Each structure stands twice: as structure tokens, then as C-alpha cells.
Amino acid sequence: LSLITFLLSGCVDISTNLSVTGPDRLNISLDIDSISGKSIPWQIEFSENLTKENSVLQVKTDGSKQHFESPTIRFEETNELLKQIASAASKASGFDIKQPKIITNNRNLLIGTREHLTIYFDLKDFPQIPGLKMNLTIHYIGKKNNFTGKPIDPTYKDDSILLPLQIGQINQLEVSYWKWNQISVGVILIVFLTFLSIFLQKFRLNM
């Protein structure tokens, strides 16, 4: 019944958004919009299923539009949240939706972190549904030449990377970026200014 309901519900636009807020920090949000202008049963059931999963996602509804957003979490917590989202979506739609995965490889330095993300959305066995659109967006990355995508190239605009997800394909996005450690940079700056002040005082005394 859930499968039939989903297929007959009309066009749906689903966007998954990752916002990198700092070293090893991000939040996840979902935007779901029924193009018909009316909320569909799948949206309601999906929201109820997330509540049953004890998800940290908070929902805001505006007509046919739903916005789910997490607090800031660590990368190691991300896959558990994605597992909850996939489970809630599978139960609501009747499809066996595979869990998206994020693999991280971070290099921590004194003044910041060099981070490399690989994100997988396996939609190889997902059926073709007329009017269904799914996108992945990563915000606050910085540079426009530090990412690659499969099976199509992502686009870059306004400090964000957009990858339209392809049904029937394994979608992959790799991103590398640098995040400053503001505390370490602040400490180094204070130490530098302190030594500069001492040097200038000695210089004046010797004049």
C-alpha cells in the first residue's frame, strides 16, 4: 500500500543538504516539497517514522514544504543519522532504500584540519518514478576546484556544491577542503603580538 501511495502521489523534490560548520562539524537538513502544492501521505508518514527513530532532526512545515534540520554533529554521528533517514523513507515508501554513507579522512594540524569527504548515494536498485527529483548540496566549502562527482559532474555556485542524484546509478561526491582551527589561530596570534610588543619595548629602550 505504501508503494502504491508513493507512486500515485505525484512529483516530489527532495534535497539533502550538508553544511560544514567547522573541523569535524556539520549539520544535515532535508527539504521535501510536493510539486502538487499539497502535502502527500508519504511526507506525513516519513515525518512520523523519523519521530519513532528518535531522530535529532527537527521539522518545520509550510504547506506542502517540509524542512528537517539537525543540530551541529560530528562526522562520526552522521552515518547513524543517515541510517535513520533511510529507514524512515523505506518504511514510508515501501522501497528498500540503501543508506547513504559518508567516509572521512582528516589530517589534523595545529592551525586547522585538512578534510576529505567521500559521499555515496546508492540508487542503483531504486525504481524510476516520474517527477521525482533528488539533489545533494554541500554548503560552505570555499573553493570551486576541490571536488569531483560521479556519474555526472557537480556544479559550484555561491560557496556550495550541487550534485543532482541519478536514479539507477551509484552517485559519488568527493570533496577536499581546509578548515581553520580558530582557537589555535587565536592563541598563535596572541603569542605573536606579545613577542612583538616585547620587541618594540626593548627597541624603544635602546634608542
Side-chain angles (χ1 to χ4, degrees), residues 5-64:
T5 301
F6 187 80
L7 290 171
L8 297 178
S9 293
C11 304
V12 180
D13 193 342
I14 303 174
S15 295
T16 302
N17 306 284
L18 306 180
S19 298
V20 179
T21 58
D24 193 31
R25 296 289 190 278
L26 82 165
N27 64 25
I28 297 178
S29 65
L30 294 173
D31 290 299
I32 303 175
D33 185 13
S34 172
I35 309 301
S36 66
K38 297 181 180 180
S39 295
I40 60 177
W42 178 85
Q43 288 178 279
I44 299 171
E45 188 173 350
F46 174 70
S47 181
E48 292 175 349
N49 289 340
L50 279 178
T51 300
K52 294 176 183 177
E53 294 278 349
N54 296 316
S55 172
V56 297
L57 289 172
Q58 299 295 316
V59 61
K60 294 181 181 179
T61 302
D62 181 12
S64 63

CSV table of all heavy atoms in Angstrom, one decimal, residues 5-64:
chain,number,residue,atom,x,y,z
A,5,THR,N,0.9,4.2,-2.9
A,5,THR,CA,0.6,5.6,-2.5
A,5,THR,C,1.7,6.5,-2.9
A,5,THR,O,1.5,7.6,-3.4
A,5,THR,CB,0.5,5.7,-0.9
A,5,THR,OG1,-0.6,4.8,-0.5
A,5,THR,CG2,0.2,7.1,-0.5
A,6,PHE,N,3.0,6.0,-2.8
A,6,PHE,CA,4.1,6.9,-3.2
A,6,PHE,C,4.1,7.1,-4.7
A,6,PHE,O,4.3,8.2,-5.2
A,6,PHE,CB,5.4,6.2,-2.8
A,6,PHE,CG,6.6,7.0,-3.0
A,6,PHE,CD1,7.0,8.0,-2.1
A,6,PHE,CD2,7.4,6.8,-4.1
A,6,PHE,CE1,8.1,8.8,-2.3
A,6,PHE,CE2,8.6,7.6,-4.3
A,6,PHE,CZ,8.9,8.6,-3.4
A,7,LEU,N,3.8,6.0,-5.5
A,7,LEU,CA,3.8,6.1,-6.9
A,7,LEU,C,2.7,7.0,-7.4
A,7,LEU,O,2.9,7.7,-8.5
A,7,LEU,CB,3.7,4.7,-7.5
A,7,LEU,CG,4.9,3.8,-7.4
A,7,LEU,CD1,4.5,2.4,-7.8
A,7,LEU,CD2,6.1,4.3,-8.2
A,8,LEU,N,1.6,7.1,-6.7
A,8,LEU,CA,0.5,7.9,-7.2
A,8,LEU,C,0.5,9.3,-6.6
A,8,LEU,O,-0.5,10.1,-6.8
A,8,LEU,CB,-0.8,7.2,-6.8
A,8,LEU,CG,-1.0,5.8,-7.5
A,8,LEU,CD1,-2.4,5.2,-7.0
A,8,LEU,CD2,-1.1,5.9,-9.0
A,9,SER,N,1.5,9.6,-5.8
A,9,SER,CA,1.4,10.9,-5.0
A,9,SER,C,1.8,12.1,-5.9
A,9,SER,O,1.7,13.2,-5.5
A,9,SER,CB,2.4,10.8,-3.8
A,9,SER,OG,1.9,9.9,-2.9
A,10,GLY,N,2.4,11.9,-7.1
A,10,GLY,CA,2.8,13.0,-7.9
A,10,GLY,C,4.3,13.3,-7.7
A,10,GLY,O,5.1,12.6,-7.1
A,11,CYS,N,4.7,14.5,-8.3
A,11,CYS,CA,6.1,14.9,-8.3
A,11,CYS,C,6.5,15.3,-6.9
A,11,CYS,O,5.8,16.1,-6.2
A,11,CYS,CB,6.2,16.1,-9.3
A,11,CYS,SG,5.7,15.7,-10.9
A,12,VAL,N,7.7,14.9,-6.5
A,12,VAL,CA,8.3,15.3,-5.3
A,12,VAL,C,9.8,15.8,-5.5
A,12,VAL,O,10.5,15.1,-6.3
A,12,VAL,CB,8.3,14.1,-4.3
A,12,VAL,CG1,8.9,14.6,-2.9
A,12,VAL,CG2,6.9,13.7,-4.0
A,13,ASP,N,10.2,16.8,-4.8
A,13,ASP,CA,11.5,17.3,-4.9
A,13,ASP,C,12.2,17.2,-3.6
A,13,ASP,O,11.7,17.7,-2.6
A,13,ASP,CB,11.5,18.8,-5.3
A,13,ASP,CG,12.9,19.4,-5.7
A,13,ASP,OD1,13.9,18.7,-5.4
A,13,ASP,OD2,12.9,20.4,-6.4
A,14,ILE,N,13.3,16.4,-3.5
A,14,ILE,CA,13.9,16.1,-2.3
A,14,ILE,C,15.4,16.5,-2.4
A,14,ILE,O,16.1,16.1,-3.2
A,14,ILE,CB,13.9,14.5,-2.0
A,14,ILE,CG1,12.5,14.0,-1.9
A,14,ILE,CG2,14.6,14.3,-0.6
A,14,ILE,CD1,12.4,12.5,-1.8
A,15,SER,N,15.8,17.4,-1.4
A,15,SER,CA,17.2,17.9,-1.4
A,15,SER,C,17.8,17.5,-0.1
A,15,SER,O,17.2,17.8,1.0
A,15,SER,CB,17.2,19.4,-1.6
A,15,SER,OG,16.7,19.8,-2.9
A,16,THR,N,19.0,16.9,-0.1
A,16,THR,CA,19.8,16.7,1.1
A,16,THR,C,20.9,17.7,1.2
A,16,THR,O,21.6,17.9,0.2
A,16,THR,CB,20.4,15.2,1.0
A,16,THR,OG1,19.3,14.3,0.9
A,16,THR,CG2,21.2,14.9,2.3
A,17,ASN,N,21.0,18.4,2.3
A,17,ASN,CA,22.0,19.5,2.4
A,17,ASN,C,22.9,19.2,3.6
A,17,ASN,O,22.5,18.9,4.7
A,17,ASN,CB,21.2,20.8,2.7
A,17,ASN,CG,20.2,21.1,1.7
A,17,ASN,OD1,20.5,21.5,0.6
A,17,ASN,ND2,18.9,20.9,2.0
A,18,LEU,N,24.2,19.3,3.3
A,18,LEU,CA,25.2,19.2,4.3
A,18,LEU,C,25.9,20.5,4.5
A,18,LEU,O,26.4,21.1,3.5
A,18,LEU,CB,26.3,18.1,4.0
A,18,LEU,CG,25.7,16.7,3.6
A,18,LEU,CD1,26.9,15.8,3.3
A,18,LEU,CD2,24.9,16.1,4.8
A,19,SER,N,25.9,21.1,5.7
A,19,SER,CA,26.6,22.3,5.9
A,19,SER,C,27.8,22.1,6.8
A,19,SER,O,27.6,21.7,8.0
A,19,SER,CB,25.6,23.3,6.5
A,19,SER,OG,24.5,23.6,5.7
A,20,VAL,N,29.0,22.4,6.3
A,20,VAL,CA,30.2,22.2,7.1
A,20,VAL,C,30.4,23.4,7.9
A,20,VAL,O,30.6,24.5,7.4
A,20,VAL,CB,31.4,21.9,6.2
A,20,VAL,CG1,32.7,21.8,7.0
A,20,VAL,CG2,31.2,20.7,5.3
A,21,THR,N,30.3,23.3,9.2
A,21,THR,CA,30.4,24.4,10.1
A,21,THR,C,31.8,24.6,10.8
A,21,THR,O,32.0,25.6,11.4
A,21,THR,CB,29.3,24.3,11.2
A,21,THR,OG1,29.5,23.1,12.0
A,21,THR,CG2,27.9,24.3,10.6
A,22,GLY,N,32.6,23.6,10.7
A,22,GLY,CA,33.9,23.7,11.3
A,22,GLY,C,34.7,22.4,11.2
A,22,GLY,O,34.1,21.4,10.6
A,23,PRO,N,35.9,22.3,11.8
A,23,PRO,CA,36.6,21.0,11.7
A,23,PRO,C,35.8,19.9,12.4
A,23,PRO,O,35.4,20.0,13.6
A,23,PRO,CB,37.9,21.3,12.5
A,23,PRO,CG,38.1,22.8,12.4
A,23,PRO,CD,36.7,23.3,12.4
A,24,ASP,N,35.5,18.8,11.7
A,24,ASP,CA,34.8,17.7,12.2
A,24,ASP,C,33.4,18.1,12.7
A,24,ASP,O,32.8,17.5,13.6
A,24,ASP,CB,35.5,17.0,13.3
A,24,ASP,CG,35.0,15.6,13.7
A,24,ASP,OD1,34.4,14.9,12.8
A,24,ASP,OD2,35.0,15.2,14.8
A,25,ARG,N,32.8,19.1,12.0
A,25,ARG,CA,31.5,19.6,12.4
A,25,ARG,C,30.6,19.8,11.2
A,25,ARG,O,31.1,20.4,10.3
A,25,ARG,CB,31.5,20.8,13.3
A,25,ARG,CG,32.3,20.7,14.6
A,25,ARG,CD,31.4,19.9,15.6
A,25,ARG,NE,32.0,20.0,17.0
A,25,ARG,CZ,33.0,19.2,17.4
A,25,ARG,NH1,33.5,18.3,16.6
A,25,ARG,NH2,33.4,19.3,18.6
A,26,LEU,N,29.4,19.4,11.2
A,26,LEU,CA,28.4,19.7,10.2
A,26,LEU,C,27.0,19.6,10.7
A,26,LEU,O,26.8,19.0,11.8
A,26,LEU,CB,28.7,18.9,8.9
A,26,LEU,CG,28.1,17.4,8.9
A,26,LEU,CD1,28.1,16.9,7.5
A,26,LEU,CD2,28.8,16.5,9.8
A,27,ASN,N,26.1,20.1,9.9
A,27,ASN,CA,24.7,19.7,10.2
A,27,ASN,C,24.0,19.3,8.9
A,27,ASN,O,24.5,19.6,7.8
A,27,ASN,CB,23.9,20.9,10.9
A,27,ASN,CG,23.7,22.1,10.0
A,27,ASN,OD1,23.8,22.1,8.8
A,27,ASN,ND2,23.6,23.2,10.7
A,28,ILE,N,23.0,18.5,9.0
A,28,ILE,CA,22.3,17.9,7.9
A,28,ILE,C,20.9,18.4,7.9
A,28,ILE,O,20.2,18.5,8.9
A,28,ILE,CB,22.2,16.3,8.0
A,28,ILE,CG1,23.6,15.8,8.0
A,28,ILE,CG2,21.4,15.7,6.9
A,28,ILE,CD1,23.7,14.3,8.1
A,29,SER,N,20.4,18.8,6.7
A,29,SER,CA,19.0,19.2,6.6
A,29,SER,C,18.4,18.5,5.3
A,29,SER,O,19.1,18.2,4.4
A,29,SER,CB,18.9,20.7,6.5
A,29,SER,OG,19.5,21.2,5.3
A,30,LEU,N,17.1,18.3,5.4
A,30,LEU,CA,16.3,17.8,4.2
A,30,LEU,C,15.2,18.8,3.9
A,30,LEU,O,14.5,19.3,4.8
A,30,LEU,CB,15.7,16.4,4.6
A,30,LEU,CG,16.6,15.2,4.8
A,30,LEU,CD1,15.8,14.1,5.3
A,30,LEU,CD2,17.3,14.9,3.6
A,31,ASP,N,15.1,19.0,2.6
A,31,ASP,CA,14.0,19.8,2.1
A,31,ASP,C,13.1,18.9,1.2
A,31,ASP,O,13.6,18.4,0.2
A,31,ASP,CB,14.4,21.1,1.4
A,31,ASP,CG,15.1,22.1,2.3
A,31,ASP,OD1,14.4,22.6,3.2
A,31,ASP,OD2,16.3,22.4,2.1
A,32,ILE,N,11.8,18.8,1.5
A,32,ILE,CA,10.9,17.9,0.8
A,32,ILE,C,9.8,18.8,0.3
A,32,ILE,O,9.1,19.4,1.2
A,32,ILE,CB,10.5,16.7,1.6
A,32,ILE,CG1,11.7,15.9,2.1
A,32,ILE,CG2,9.5,15.8,0.7
A,32,ILE,CD1,11.3,14.7,3.0
A,33,ASP,N,9.5,18.8,-1.0
A,33,ASP,CA,8.4,19.6,-1.5
A,33,ASP,C,7.6,18.9,-2.5
A,33,ASP,O,8.1,18.3,-3.5
A,33,ASP,CB,9.0,20.9,-2.2
A,33,ASP,CG,8.0,21.9,-2.7
A,33,ASP,OD1,6.8,21.7,-2.2
A,33,ASP,OD2,8.3,22.8,-3.4
A,34,SER,N,6.3,18.8,-2.2
A,34,SER,CA,5.4,18.2,-3.1
A,34,SER,C,5.0,19.2,-4.2
A,34,SER,O,4.4,20.3,-3.9
A,34,SER,CB,4.1,17.7,-2.4
A,34,SER,OG,3.1,17.3,-3.3
A,35,ILE,N,5.3,18.9,-5.5
A,35,ILE,CA,5.1,19.9,-6.5
A,35,ILE,C,3.7,20.2,-6.8
A,35,ILE,O,3.3,21.2,-7.3
A,35,ILE,CB,5.8,19.4,-7.8
A,35,ILE,CG1,7.3,19.0,-7.6
A,35,ILE,CG2,5.8,20.5,-8.9
A,35,ILE,CD1,8.1,20.1,-7.0
A,36,SER,N,2.8,19.3,-6.3
A,36,SER,CA,1.4,19.5,-6.5
A,36,SER,C,0.8,20.6,-5.6
A,36,SER,O,-0.3,21.1,-5.8
A,36,SER,CB,0.6,18.2,-6.1
A,36,SER,OG,0.8,17.9,-4.7
A,37,GLY,N,1.6,21.1,-4.6
A,37,GLY,CA,1.2,22.2,-3.7
A,37,GLY,C,0.5,21.7,-2.5
A,37,GLY,O,0.0,22.5,-1.7
A,38,LYS,N,0.3,20.3,-2.4
A,38,LYS,CA,-0.4,19.7,-1.3
A,38,LYS,C,0.5,18.7,-0.7
A,38,LYS,O,1.2,17.9,-1.4
A,38,LYS,CB,-1.7,19.1,-1.7
A,38,LYS,CG,-2.7,20.1,-2.2
A,38,LYS,CD,-4.0,19.4,-2.6
A,38,LYS,CE,-5.1,20.4,-3.1
A,38,LYS,NZ,-6.3,19.8,-3.5
A,39,SER,N,0.5,18.6,0.7
A,39,SER,CA,1.3,17.5,1.3
A,39,SER,C,0.7,16.2,0.9
A,39,SER,O,-0.5,16.0,0.8
A,39,SER,CB,1.2,17.7,2.9
A,39,SER,OG,1.8,18.9,3.3
A,40,ILE,N,1.6,15.2,0.7
A,40,ILE,CA,1.2,13.9,0.3
A,40,ILE,C,1.3,12.9,1.5
A,40,ILE,O,2.1,13.2,2.5
A,40,ILE,CB,2.0,13.4,-0.9
A,40,ILE,CG1,3.5,13.3,-0.5
A,40,ILE,CG2,1.8,14.2,-2.1
A,40,ILE,CD1,4.4,12.8,-1.6
A,41,PRO,N,0.6,11.8,1.5
A,41,PRO,CA,0.7,10.9,2.7
A,41,PRO,C,2.1,10.4,3.0
A,41,PRO,O,2.5,10.2,4.2
A,41,PRO,CB,-0.2,9.7,2.2
A,41,PRO,CG,-1.1,10.3,1.3
A,41,PRO,CD,-0.4,11.4,0.6
A,42,TRP,N,3.0,10.3,2.0
A,42,TRP,CA,4.3,9.8,2.2
A,42,TRP,C,5.1,10.8,3.1
A,42,TRP,O,5.9,10.4,3.9
A,42,TRP,CB,5.1,9.7,0.8
A,42,TRP,CG,6.5,9.3,1.0
A,42,TRP,CD1,7.0,8.0,1.2
A,42,TRP,CD2,7.6,10.2,1.1
A,42,TRP,NE1,8.3,8.0,1.3
A,42,TRP,CE2,8.8,9.3,1.3
A,42,TRP,CE3,7.8,11.5,1.0
A,42,TRP,CZ2,10.0,9.9,1.4
A,42,TRP,CZ3,9.1,12.1,1.1
A,42,TRP,CH2,10.2,11.2,1.3
A,43,GLN,N,4.9,12.1,2.9
A,43,GLN,CA,5.6,13.1,3.7
A,43,GLN,C,5.2,13.0,5.1
A,43,GLN,O,6.1,13.1,6.0
A,43,GLN,CB,5.2,14.5,3.2
A,43,GLN,CG,5.9,14.9,1.9
A,43,GLN,CD,5.4,16.3,1.4
A,43,GLN,OE1,4.3,16.5,0.9
A,43,GLN,NE2,6.2,17.3,1.7
A,44,ILE,N,3.9,12.8,5.4
A,44,ILE,CA,3.4,12.7,6.8
A,44,ILE,C,4.0,11.5,7.4
A,44,ILE,O,4.5,11.5,8.6
A,44,ILE,CB,1.9,12.7,6.8
A,44,ILE,CG1,1.4,14.0,6.2
A,44,ILE,CG2,1.4,12.5,8.2
A,44,ILE,CD1,-0.1,14.0,6.0
A,45,GLU,N,3.9,10.3,6.7
A,45,GLU,CA,4.4,9.1,7.3
A,45,GLU,C,5.9,9.1,7.5
A,45,GLU,O,6.4,8.6,8.5
A,45,GLU,CB,4.1,7.9,6.4
A,45,GLU,CG,4.4,6.6,7.0
A,45,GLU,CD,3.8,5.4,6.2
A,45,GLU,OE1,3.1,5.7,5.2
A,45,GLU,OE2,4.2,4.3,6.5
A,46,PHE,N,6.7,9.8,6.6
A,46,PHE,CA,8.1,9.9,6.7
A,46,PHE,C,8.4,10.7,8.0
A,46,PHE,O,9.3,10.3,8.8
A,46,PHE,CB,8.7,10.6,5.5
A,46,PHE,CG,10.2,10.9,5.6
A,46,PHE,CD1,11.1,9.9,5.6
A,46,PHE,CD2,10.6,12.2,5.8
A,46,PHE,CE1,12.5,10.2,5.7
A,46,PHE,CE2,11.9,12.5,5.9
A,46,PHE,CZ,12.9,11.5,5.8
A,47,SER,N,7.7,11.8,8.3
A,47,SER,CA,8.0,12.6,9.5
A,47,SER,C,7.7,11.8,10.7
A,47,SER,O,8.4,11.8,11.7
A,47,SER,CB,7.1,13.8,9.4
A,47,SER,OG,7.3,14.6,10.5
A,48,GLU,N,6.6,11.0,10.7
A,48,GLU,CA,6.2,10.2,11.9
A,48,GLU,C,7.2,9.1,12.1
A,48,GLU,O,7.6,8.8,13.3
A,48,GLU,CB,4.8,9.6,11.6
A,48,GLU,CG,3.7,10.6,11.6
A,48,GLU,CD,2.3,10.0,11.3
A,48,GLU,OE1,2.3,8.8,10.8
A,48,GLU,OE2,1.3,10.7,11.5
A,49,ASN,N,7.7,8.5,11.0
A,49,ASN,CA,8.8,7.5,11.2
A,49,ASN,C,10.1,8.0,11.8
A,49,ASN,O,10.7,7.3,12.6
A,49,ASN,CB,9.0,6.8,9.8
A,49,ASN,CG,7.9,6.0,9.3
A,49,ASN,OD1,7.0,5.5,10.1
A,49,ASN,ND2,7.9,5.7,8.0
A,50,LEU,N,10.4,9.2,11.4
A,50,LEU,CA,11.6,9.8,12.0
A,50,LEU,C,11.5,10.0,13.5
A,50,LEU,O,12.4,9.8,14.2
A,50,LEU,CB,11.9,11.2,11.3
A,50,LEU,CG,12.7,11.1,10.0
A,50,LEU,CD1,12.8,12.5,9.4
A,50,LEU,CD2,14.0,10.5,10.1
A,51,THR,N,10.3,10.4,13.9
A,51,THR,CA,10.0,10.6,15.3
A,51,THR,C,10.2,9.2,16.0
A,51,THR,O,10.7,9.2,17.1
A,51,THR,CB,8.6,11.1,15.5
A,51,THR,OG1,8.5,12.4,14.9
A,51,THR,CG2,8.3,11.3,17.0
A,52,LYS,N,9.7,8.2,15.4
A,52,LYS,CA,9.8,6.8,16.0
A,52,LYS,C,11.3,6.4,16.1
A,52,LYS,O,11.6,5.6,17.0
A,52,LYS,CB,9.0,5.8,15.2
A,52,LYS,CG,7.5,6.1,15.3
A,52,LYS,CD,6.7,5.1,14.4
A,52,LYS,CE,5.2,5.4,14.3
A,52,LYS,NZ,4.5,4.4,13.4
A,53,GLU,N,12.1,6.9,15.2
A,53,GLU,CA,13.5,6.5,15.1
A,53,GLU,C,14.3,7.3,16.2
A,53,GLU,O,15.5,7.2,16.3
A,53,GLU,CB,14.1,6.8,13.8
A,53,GLU,CG,13.6,5.9,12.6
A,53,GLU,CD,14.2,4.6,12.6
A,53,GLU,OE1,15.3,4.4,13.3
A,53,GLU,OE2,13.7,3.7,11.8
A,54,ASN,N,13.6,8.2,16.9
A,54,ASN,CA,14.2,9.1,17.9
A,54,ASN,C,15.3,10.0,17.2
A,54,ASN,O,16.4,10.2,17.7
A,54,ASN,CB,14.8,8.3,19.0
A,54,ASN,CG,13.8,7.6,19.9
A,54,ASN,OD1,12.7,8.2,20.2
A,54,ASN,ND2,14.0,6.4,20.2
A,55,SER,N,15.0,10.4,16.0
A,55,SER,CA,16.0,11.2,15.2
A,55,SER,C,16.1,12.6,15.8
A,55,SER,O,15.2,13.2,16.4
A,55,SER,CB,15.5,11.4,13.8
A,55,SER,OG,16.3,12.3,13.1
A,56,VAL,N,17.4,13.2,15.7
A,56,VAL,CA,17.6,14.5,16.2
A,56,VAL,C,17.1,15.6,15.2
A,56,VAL,O,17.1,16.8,15.5
A,56,VAL,CB,19.1,14.8,16.4
A,56,VAL,CG1,19.6,13.8,17.5
A,56,VAL,CG2,19.9,14.6,15.1
A,57,LEU,N,16.6,15.2,14.0
A,57,LEU,CA,16.1,16.1,13.1
A,57,LEU,C,14.8,16.8,13.6
A,57,LEU,O,13.9,16.1,14.1
A,57,LEU,CB,15.8,15.4,11.7
A,57,LEU,CG,17.0,14.9,10.9
A,57,LEU,CD1,16.5,14.1,9.7
A,57,LEU,CD2,17.8,16.1,10.4
A,58,GLN,N,14.8,18.1,13.5
A,58,GLN,CA,13.6,18.8,13.8
A,58,GLN,C,12.9,19.3,12.5
A,58,GLN,O,13.6,19.7,11.6
A,58,GLN,CB,13.9,20.1,14.6
A,58,GLN,CG,14.6,19.7,16.0
A,58,GLN,CD,13.7,19.0,16.9
A,58,GLN,OE1,12.5,19.3,17.1
A,58,GLN,NE2,14.2,17.9,17.6
A,59,VAL,N,11.6,19.2,12.5
A,59,VAL,CA,10.8,19.5,11.3
A,59,VAL,C,10.1,20.8,11.4
A,59,VAL,O,9.5,21.2,12.4
A,59,VAL,CB,9.9,18.4,10.9
A,59,VAL,CG1,8.8,18.2,12.0
A,59,VAL,CG2,9.2,18.6,9.6
A,60,LYS,N,10.1,21.6,10.3
A,60,LYS,CA,9.2,22.7,10.1
A,60,LYS,C,8.4,22.5,8.8
A,60,LYS,O,9.0,22.2,7.8
A,60,LYS,CB,10.1,24.0,10.0
A,60,LYS,CG,10.8,24.4,11.3
A,60,LYS,CD,11.6,25.7,11.1
A,60,LYS,CE,12.4,26.0,12.4
A,60,LYS,NZ,13.2,27.2,12.2
A,61,THR,N,7.1,22.8,8.9
A,61,THR,CA,6.2,22.6,7.8
A,61,THR,C,5.6,23.9,7.3
A,61,THR,O,5.1,24.7,8.1
A,61,THR,CB,5.1,21.6,8.1
A,61,THR,OG1,5.7,20.3,8.6
A,61,THR,CG2,4.2,21.3,6.9
A,62,ASP,N,5.6,24.1,6.0
A,62,ASP,CA,5.0,25.3,5.4
A,62,ASP,C,4.2,24.8,4.2
A,62,ASP,O,4.7,24.7,3.1
A,62,ASP,CB,6.0,26.3,5.0
A,62,ASP,CG,5.4,27.6,4.4
A,62,ASP,OD1,4.2,27.7,4.5
A,62,ASP,OD2,6.2,28.4,3.9
A,63,GLY,N,2.9,24.5,4.4
A,63,GLY,CA,2.1,24.0,3.3
A,63,GLY,C,2.6,22.6,2.9
A,63,GLY,O,2.7,21.7,3.7
A,64,SER,N,3.0,22.5,1.6
A,64,SER,CA,3.5,21.2,1.1
A,64,SER,C,5.0,21.1,1.3
A,64,SER,O,5.5,20.0,0.9
A,64,SER,CB,3.2,21.1,-0.4
A,64,SER,OG,3.9,22.1,-1.1
